[in-house]
């Protein structure tokens, strides 16, 4: 795992019929985290996979942490299941839970690192009373629900605003960007202040995962 910039392939764009092999392949290709997108056809208009699949990957003995991105409502019911299934980070959308502070504590109590996720139109005000309890802020650069969408450039000043807040906090909070990240825009996201880069279609849609991840690292400098 590199010190500052982490690349997190999203399994959403993997071949689900060969998921274990796909995850092994991106780790072999240099992934720092596995980004695990959980969708419920309720909070977002798509349906993916749950704790059973997370546990199956975890049992495989992955050499990198699993970064669970919950796009579900409600949130709390499913948190212990993902903790038991081997998640390291668990991130959720504040609009999707009744009690944001409670959900953050629930994730922590179950031994995982809590993250808060911001949709493109979600104001950063949600950080006012939460940043001191978070390990991760995840900024969506697409509307959640699908892979392969176009990067929304408005995410860049938002990343920069979060970077300023994190610097002021003095805490080592990670800033993750998710949606439409490619070799040609990853540097701009890093420049704005992101240090974890989710990429689904850019990696799994490429013919050579290692070459794509290497090109991302080169772009990151
Ligand atoms: C979208 C998901 C993303 C998605 C990114 O709701 O949260 O993680 O897989 O896919 P790309 O990189 O293809 O935009
Ligand atoms: Zn995601």
């Amino acid at each position: 795992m590199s010190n500052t910039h982490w690349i997190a392939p999203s399994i959403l764009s993997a071949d689900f019929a060969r998921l274990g092999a796909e995850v092994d392949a991106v780790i072999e290709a240099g992934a720092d985290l596995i980004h695990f997108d959980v969708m419920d056809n309720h909070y977002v208009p798509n349906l993916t996979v749950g704790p059973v699949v997370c546990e199956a990957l975890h049992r495989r003995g992955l050499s990198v942490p699993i970064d669970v991105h919950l796009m579900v409502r409600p949130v709390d019911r499913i948190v212990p299941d993902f903790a038991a299934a081997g998640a390291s980070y668990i991130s959720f959308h504040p609009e999707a839970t009744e009690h944001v502070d409670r959900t953050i504590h629930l994730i922590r109590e179950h031994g995982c690192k809590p993250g808060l996720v911001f949709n493109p139109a979600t104001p950063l005000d949600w950080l006012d009373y939460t940043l001191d309890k978070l390990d991760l802020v995840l900024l969506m650069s697409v509307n959640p629900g699908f892979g392969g969408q176009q990067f929304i450039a408005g995410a860049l000043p938002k990343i920069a605003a979060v970077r300023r807040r994190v610097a002021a906090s003095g805490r080592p909070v990670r800033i993750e960007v998710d949606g439409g990240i490619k070799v040609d825009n990853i540097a701009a996201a890093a420049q704005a202040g992101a240090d974890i880069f989710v990429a689904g279609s850019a990696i799994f849609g490429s013919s050579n995962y290692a070459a794509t991840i290497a090109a991302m690292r080169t772009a990151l400098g």
Side-chain angles (χ1 to χ4, degrees):
M1 197 176 279
S2 64
N3 288 332
T4 49
H5 294 137
W6 293 353
I7 293 176
S10 160
I11 63 163
L12 189 59
S13 292
D15 176 357
F16 272 94
R18 304 171 45 252
L19 186 59
E22 287 274 74
V23 167
D24 290 350
V26 283
I27 292 173
E28 177 70 27
D32 298 299
L33 286 178
I34 294 299
H35 186 78
F36 192 100
D37 283 309
V38 184
M39 304 184 183
D40 67 349
N41 187 37
H42 175 68
Y43 178 64
V44 291
N46 199 356
L47 186 65
T48 59
V49 287
V52 169
V53 175
C54 186
E55 187 179 9
L57 291 178
H58 180 60
R59 276 172 189 265
R60 227 175 149 78
L62 304 188
S63 57
V64 305
I66 301 176
D67 170 35
V68 171
H69 175 191
L70 295 178
M71 288 161 275
V72 304
R73 176 189 288 141
V75 179
D76 293 0
R77 225 300 296 142
I78 206 76
V79 163
D81 296 15
F82 274 103
S88 290
Y89 289 91
I90 299 181
S91 301
F92 66 97
H93 291 248
E95 311 92 330
T97 193
E98 291 290 337
H99 305 287
V100 173
D101 185 74
R102 174 175 290 150
T103 303
I104 292 170
H105 284 288
L106 184 68
I107 293 167
R108 184 79 71 193
E109 279 161 18
H110 282 82
C112 297
K113 299 184 175 84
L116 205 57
V117 192
F118 291 81
N119 287 331
T122 306
L124 294 177
D125 300 9
W126 289 102
L127 289 176
D128 287 354
Y129 303 101
T130 58
L131 186 58
D132 59 333
K133 303 175 187 82
L134 296 172
D135 285 342
L136 178 73
V137 176
L138 197 172
L139 292 154
M140 295 303 301
S141 40
V142 297
N143 285 293
F146 303 94
Q149 301 181 79
Q150 192 75 29
F151 182 83
I152 296 171
L156 294 174
K158 205 168 173 186
I159 292 168
V162 174
R163 176 51 68 196
R164 287 192 293 273
R165 284 185 182 236
V166 167
S169 81
R171 296 187 60 247
V173 180
R174 284 272 171 181
I175 301 177
E176 181 170 29
V177 59
D178 183 4
I181 291 291
K182 313 278 177 205
V183 172
D184 66 7
N185 63 12
I186 196 167
Q191 193 122 34
D195 54 18
I196 305 181
F197 308 88
V198 176
S201 52
I203 293 173
F204 285 106
S206 72
S207 56
N208 185 332
Y209 302 165
T212 303
I213 291 174
M216 287 176 166
R217 288 205 199 284
T218 301
L220 287 168

